[in-house]
Amino acid sequence: MKLFALERATDRAAAIAAGAASTTAQQGASVRFLAGGTTLVDLMKLGVEQPERVIDINRLGLDGIEEEADGGLLVGAAVTNSDLAHHPLVQRSYAALSQAILAGASTQLRNAATTAGNLLQRTRCVYFRNTATPCNKREPGSGCPAITGANRMMAILGTSDACIASNPSDMAVAMLAYDATVHVQGVSGVRNIALRDFFLLPQDRPDRENVLEPGDLITHVTMPPRPAGERSVYLKLRDRVSYEFALVSAAVAAVVSNGKVTEVRFALGGVGTRPWRVPGAEQVLIGEAPTEQNFRRAADLALAGAKPQSQNGFKVELAKRCVVETLKRATR
Ligand SMILES: Cc1cc2nc3c(=O)[nH]c(=O)nc-3n(C[C@H](O)[C@H](O)[C@H](O)COP(=O)(O)OP(=O)(O)OC[C@H]3O[C@@H](n4cnc5c(N)ncnc54)[C@H](O)[C@@H]3O)c2cc1C
Ligand code: SF4
């Protein structure tokens, strides 16, 4: 591991100013914030991330979970994944979020991992994590060996000729279905970014994964209050039952009234280069009966743009079945 300076921040503005000294907030950043360290330290040991300064942000008071005045949920950036998953308000009104978090990693990791860190975790693409191989995300312009190589776990939606890596976060999928907003404080003030606009598609710059700029500190994430009668479910399909990333996953939040779907939101994980949501696929369910046939129609629409690689064609049908099953469970 390259030598780096570790600093402990106690003042938010000073941490932001220190972060702003980096030329980028994306791959190759020279300054990184440290939360739980379960992504960053791993990548530093592998030589994938080589920051010169690491700023511990765990003393900035970003660890609260609150019910907002309108009944929505506010989650501090440094709240641990365990605390969030087990919070009574989350279990009561944002069940898919709790289920998504508990479906990820291990108890020990969830005790350390944080909300912002989870959103900013990096792809598990084996070439990205191996500095002996080319990778456009790690070294722009070097190539993408996954396209002709090991691509079973890779994305089938939102890919480009430069990168086909899937976004690995379970938590972000549930948050996307709940219309979450990411709140950021940077050198030029405060910004509120809808989660659907937070992640970037790889296009020809897979090294840029989100809209953050140098110094940007995620302070908290909010989710609107839930409609009366909503049920939500997260379903994760993977190669083994625990401690494994999703092949495909789905988060559904739905309301059924008088035998008709009146509200529905769903997002997919494991299949997109970012957590994936297709509002048009949700719309076809509104006013319709919660039947398998209607759910399949929505699933077909959600996967309409899928572009499988040599080893992951199975994800198309698996994702459709996952959407159908999750919709069934949420509308039962
Ligand atoms: C073995 C293993 C298995 C895993 N399995 C799963 C799984 O099944 N599902 C899943 O979803 N995840 C899984 N994970 C990933 C895990 O959820 C993430 O590593 C974790 O959530 C990252 O959070 P952290 O606080 O440790 O982030 P850190 O490692 O501290 O930080 C990650 C990144 O976020 C940045 N950052 C952190 N906080 C802020 C902030 N407030 N503002 C701006 N930038 C910030 C850091 O600078 C860094 O770039 C797994 C991880 C491991 C190691
Ligand atoms: S899929 Fe993306 S992360 Fe993986 S090797 Fe290709 S460019 Fe790198």
Side-chain angles (χ1 to χ4, degrees), residues 22-188:
S22 183
T23 51
T24 178
Q26 310 291 326
Q27 178 61 26
S30 57
V31 184
R32 281 287 187 208
F33 296 136
L34 177 76
T38 62
T39 284
L40 183 63
V41 175
D42 259 14
L43 294 178
M44 287 171 67
K45 286 184 193 163
L46 293 168
V48 174
E49 293 261 18
Q50 298 188 305
E52 288 152 24
R53 294 174 75 184
V54 173
I55 300 168
D56 182 341
I57 55 168
N58 287 294
R59 305 262 170 110
L60 294 182
L62 301 173
D63 51 1
I65 302 176
E66 293 165 29
E67 181 167 9
E68 296 198 282
D70 66 357
L73 180 69
L74 183 153
V75 184
V79 168
T80 67
N81 290 178
S82 293
D83 284 350
L84 184 56
H86 293 295
H87 194 279
L89 180 58
V90 177
Q91 292 190 328
R92 188 179 73 233
S93 302
Y94 301 83
L97 177 59
S98 177
Q99 293 162 14
I101 293 169
L102 294 176
S106 64
T107 306
Q108 290 89 339
L109 283 160
R110 293 192 296 267
N111 287 344
T114 64
T115 305
N118 193 318
L119 287 177
L120 296 174
Q121 65 177 287
R122 313 295 303 277
T123 181
R124 308 305 288 195
C125 172
V126 291
Y127 304 104
F128 172 71
R129 296 171 67 85
N130 180 355
T131 56
T133 62
C135 166
N136 285 328
K137 189 183 277 298
R138 183 170 26 79
E139 274 182 54
S142 62
C144 174
I147 289 174
T148 51
N151 54 44
R152 181 172 177 274
M153 296 293 288
M154 302 294 171
I156 53 174
L157 290 162
T159 57
S160 72
D161 291 344
C163 181
I164 58 170
S166 54
N167 182 296
S169 173
D170 292 296
M171 185 195 78
V173 177
M175 286 187 171
L176 185 63
Y178 287 128
D179 291 319
T181 299
V182 182
H183 300 260
V184 172
Q185 192 174 338
V187 277
S188 47

Side-chain angles (χ1 to χ4, degrees), residues 283-323:
Q283 278 310 308
V284 300
L285 292 172
I286 300 297
E288 300 295 330
T291 63
E292 178 152 358
Q293 195 184 14
N294 287 332
F295 294 158
R296 181 70 195 200
R297 198 153 64 94
D300 285 343
L301 274 175
L303 273 295
K307 189 179 166 211
Q309 305 296 324
S310 56
Q311 299 171 351
N312 66 5
F314 71 94
K315 280 194 177 188
V316 181
E317 180 59 24
L318 191 64
K320 290 180 183 180
R321 292 184 190 189
C322 184
V323 168

Side-chain angles (χ1 to χ4, degrees), residues 174-221:
M175 286 187 171
L176 185 63
Y178 287 128
D179 291 319
T181 299
V182 182
H183 300 260
V184 172
Q185 192 174 338
V187 277
S188 47
V190 168
R191 285 166 13 251
N192 305 329
I193 306 157
L195 187 58
R196 64 174 177 276
D197 301 325
F198 182 78
F199 296 106
L200 300 174
L201 291 173
Q203 299 183 328
D204 60 351
R205 287 294 307 275
D207 56 309
R208 284 192 59 83
E209 295 182 341
N210 54 59
V211 298
L212 293 184
E213 298 294 341
D216 279 349
L217 176 75
I218 297 178
T219 53
H220 57 287
V221 174

Side-chain angles (χ1 to χ4, degrees), residues 239-298:
D239 282 328
R240 58 182 178 196
V241 157
S242 77
Y243 206 37
E244 183 56 280
F245 291 89
L247 287 167
V248 309
S249 69
V252 170
V255 181
V256 176
S257 177
N258 296 324
K260 302 276 194 260
V261 177
T262 55
E263 298 218 26
V264 64
R265 293 167 183 79
F266 69 86
L268 286 155
V271 287
T273 51
R274 58 185 183 189
W276 206 258
R277 190 160 160 202
V278 181
E282 298 166 2
Q283 278 310 308
V284 300
L285 292 172
I286 300 297
E288 300 295 330
T291 63
E292 178 152 358
Q293 195 184 14
N294 287 332
F295 294 158
R296 181 70 195 200
R297 198 153 64 94

